[in-house]
Amino acid sequence: MVKTSNTSITAKKVGDIGVSVVMPVRNGGFYLRHSVNSILNQCHEKLELLIVNDNSTDLALEWLTSSNHDKRIRIIDSPGEGIIDALNFGIDSATHPVIARMDCDDISQSSRLTTQLTYMVDNPNIDVIGSTISLFKDHKEIGQGYKLYQNWINSLCDQNSIANNIFIESPIAHPSAMFTKQMIQELGGYQDQGWPEDYDLWCRAYLKGMKFGKPQSNPLVQWRDHDQRTSRQDERYNQSSFLNCKAHYLSQFLHAKGVNQCSIWGAGRVGAKLHDLLEANKLSISHFYDVNPKLLGTTKKGKPIHLISSNQTLTPPKPGQGVCIIAVGSRGAREKIQRFLQRNAWCIQEHYILAA
C-alpha cells in the first residue's frame, strides 16, 4: 500500500512551505489574466506559478509574457498533447514540494494557499486537500444541477464523509486540489484511461489508503462554468465515461475487501448500466432492490427485483453475502434510502456503498 508521509512538510511553519501552482493552459483567452492575477495576489509568498502551455494557438500567453514580469511565473511548453501530459510535465518541473492545482479560467481567493497549507500542517494524516468552491457563470445564474453539486461538494469536508461519498461523484474540485509532489509521483501521476483524469486520480489515491479533507472556510476557489470548458467539450468527461471509471475502481475496492457479489438498489437506468459494468469487472450481481410497485414480480437483467416498503425491516447482509450498491440518482432518493438503511442497522461501506 502506498502511503506517503507529510512529516517533512508539516514540521515547517506555513510561511516557509514552498508551493508550485500548476496551471495547464490551452488557449486561455481573456480568463487567463484573472486566473494568473488571483495566484500572484496570494497572501502566501513562497510560490511559483508554473504555466504549462498545451499547444495554445491564441495570444493569451503572449499577452502574459509582454505585460507581466513577475519572477514567480514560469512558462514552460508541454512536450506532449493534452491536459494529462501538461499536468505531469508541470508537476515534474515543479521546484517546491507542495503542488496546488489551478485552471486558467478559475479564480483563487487571496487566502487560498495559506488556508490550505495551514490545514495541511494541522492535519498531517490528510494526503489530498481540497476546498469549498463557488460555481459561477459570466452574466448568468448557474443551473440548478450545478447548484446542487456545489452544495454537495461543499458539504464534504472531513475525511469520513469524503470517503463515504467517493463513488458518487468527484468529491474534490480539481482546481482546488493541493497535495505533495512526492505523493502524486508515487501514484504514477495523472493517467489517461479515457475518463476524467482527476476522478481517476482520487480513486487511485483512495484505493491506496490515502485520506482526503478540506478546511471548513468560505469558498477558496471560484469555479467558472462556460461553454468552452474542457469538461463540456471532451468525451472523457461525459456521463458514460464517468460511470466506467466509477465501476472500474468500485470493483477493485470491493475485490480488495474480498467481496465478489453485490446487490443493486435501483432498477432504473443508472442501476442497469452499473449492473453491466460491474459484471464486466467480475462482480456478480445477485438481485435488485426497488420501491416501485409496478416492478412487483418482474426481473432486471435476468435478476429478481425485491420490492421494499418504508415500514418493513431489512436485515443487513451477513459476511460473504456481499454489499448493496445504491444506484438511485433521482433527487433526494439517496438520502431517503440511507435513512431507511440506518434504521435497519446497515453500516455504510460495510453493508452498502453509495454510487449515485
Side-chain angles (χ1 to χ4, degrees):
M1 175 180 289
V2 174
K3 186 67 171 72
T4 58
S5 171
N6 291 335
T7 304
S8 61
I9 301 296
T10 55
K12 297 181 179 180
K13 293 181 180 179
V14 168
D16 295 333
I17 301 173
V19 181
S20 294
V21 181
V22 176
M23 178 190 293
V25 175
R26 173 176 286 186
N27 298 334
F30 178 73
Y31 299 138
L32 178 63
R33 65 187 67 187
H34 298 290
S35 182
V36 166
N37 287 336
S38 77
I39 297 300
L40 299 180
N41 291 331
Q42 290 293 303
C43 300
H44 188 74
E45 295 182 357
K46 193 172 182 179
L47 68 86
E48 66 172 350
L49 173 57
L50 267 171
I51 296 176
V52 189
N53 177 24
D54 178 21
N55 302 281
S56 292
T57 57
D58 70 358
L59 300 178
L61 288 175
E62 291 185 21
W63 162 82
L64 189 60
T65 53
S66 63
S67 66
N68 198 310
H69 303 288
D70 195 305
K71 293 182 179 179
R72 293 173 296 173
I73 297 177
R74 289 172 57 199
I75 301 177
I76 56 179
D77 292 329
S78 174
E81 178 82 18
I83 188 171
I84 294 172
D85 288 341
L87 285 169
N88 287 332
F89 184 63
I91 290 165
D92 289 343
S93 304
T95 301
H96 296 304
V98 173
I99 304 295
R101 273 285 292 111
M102 186 62 183
D103 285 335
C104 65
D105 47 5
D106 300 321
I107 299 171
S108 286
Q109 299 304 304
S110 60
S111 61
R112 175 197 165 181
L113 297 182
T114 298
T115 302
Q116 289 184 298
L117 286 170
T118 300
Y119 182 87
M120 177 181 280
V121 168
D122 292 342
N123 298 273
N125 63 314
I126 300 298
D127 302 281
V128 180
I129 298 163
S131 83
T132 54
I133 53 98
S134 175
L135 275 159
F136 74 105
K137 196 165 188 172
D138 294 336
H139 314 301
K140 288 183 181 180
E141 283 276 327
I142 61 169
Q144 184 62 25
Y146 276 110
K147 287 181 181 178
L148 290 170
Y149 177 62
Q150 172 186 278
N151 294 340
W152 176 78
I153 203 172
N154 287 347
S155 73
L156 306 177
C157 288
D158 66 278
Q159 65 181 55
N160 286 334
S161 65
I162 293 175
N164 289 339
N165 287 270
I166 196 164
F167 292 116
I168 293 175
E169 171 65 277
S170 179
I172 302 289
H174 200 188
S176 79
M178 176 181 283
F179 38 75
T180 65
K181 181 175 180 177
Q182 178 189 0
M183 183 221 84
I184 191 166
Q185 288 182 330
E186 288 186 359
L187 279 172
Y190 288 92
Q191 297 179 4
D192 188 355
Q193 305 277 13
W195 48 54
E197 74 287 339
D198 55 335
Y199 190 52
D200 177 84
L201 181 64
W202 309 150
C203 288
R204 283 189 285 123
Y206 178 66
L207 264 60
K208 293 294 186 181
M210 296 183 181
K211 309 293 185 186
F212 301 76
K214 302 170 193 170
Q216 292 185 326
S217 66
N218 291 329
L220 299 178
V221 173
Q222 291 178 271
W223 200 5
R224 190 191 305 267
D225 178 36
H226 58 90
D227 292 340
Q228 283 71 48
R229 271 178 63 184
T230 305
S231 58
R232 287 185 176 273
Q233 300 289 326
D234 195 320
E235 287 186 359
R236 74 176 60 241
Y237 303 102
N238 65 28
Q239 187 180 35
S240 177
S241 298
F242 192 90
L243 200 58
N244 281 327
C245 180
K246 181 188 302 188
H248 176 79
Y249 288 111
L250 176 54
S251 301
Q252 287 192 15
F253 173 73
L254 291 172
H255 286 313
K257 291 165 67 75
V259 175
N260 298 306
Q261 177 178 283
C262 299
S263 58
I264 293 179
W265 189 306
R269 178 179 55 85
V270 176
K273 286 185 177 180
L274 203 51
H275 168 280
D276 293 347
L277 292 170
L278 292 175
E279 289 217 323
N281 281 277
K282 299 181 180 179
L283 273 175
S284 174
I285 308 302
S286 57
H287 59 276
F288 288 85
Y289 290 110
D290 210 289
V291 298
N292 186 351
K294 294 181 180 179
L295 298 178
L296 179 64
T298 64
T299 62
K300 191 76 170 186
K301 301 288 182 176
K303 313 293 170 59
I305 299 174
H306 297 175
L307 286 187
I308 302 297
S309 61
S310 59
N311 58 356
Q312 78 178 83
T313 299
L314 189 62
T315 304
K318 296 177 182 179
Q321 292 181 336
V323 299
C324 183
I325 309 299
I326 310 302
V328 181
S330 56
R331 201 166 292 172
R334 181 174 65 240
E335 293 76 12
K336 289 181 180 179
I337 293 169
Q338 268 198 281
R339 289 193 293 269
F340 170 79
L341 292 176
Q342 288 167 354
R343 288 198 305 269
N344 283 271
W346 288 52
C347 298
I348 192 167
Q349 300 292 82
E350 179 183 355
H351 301 127
Y352 72 97
I353 293 175
L354 303 173

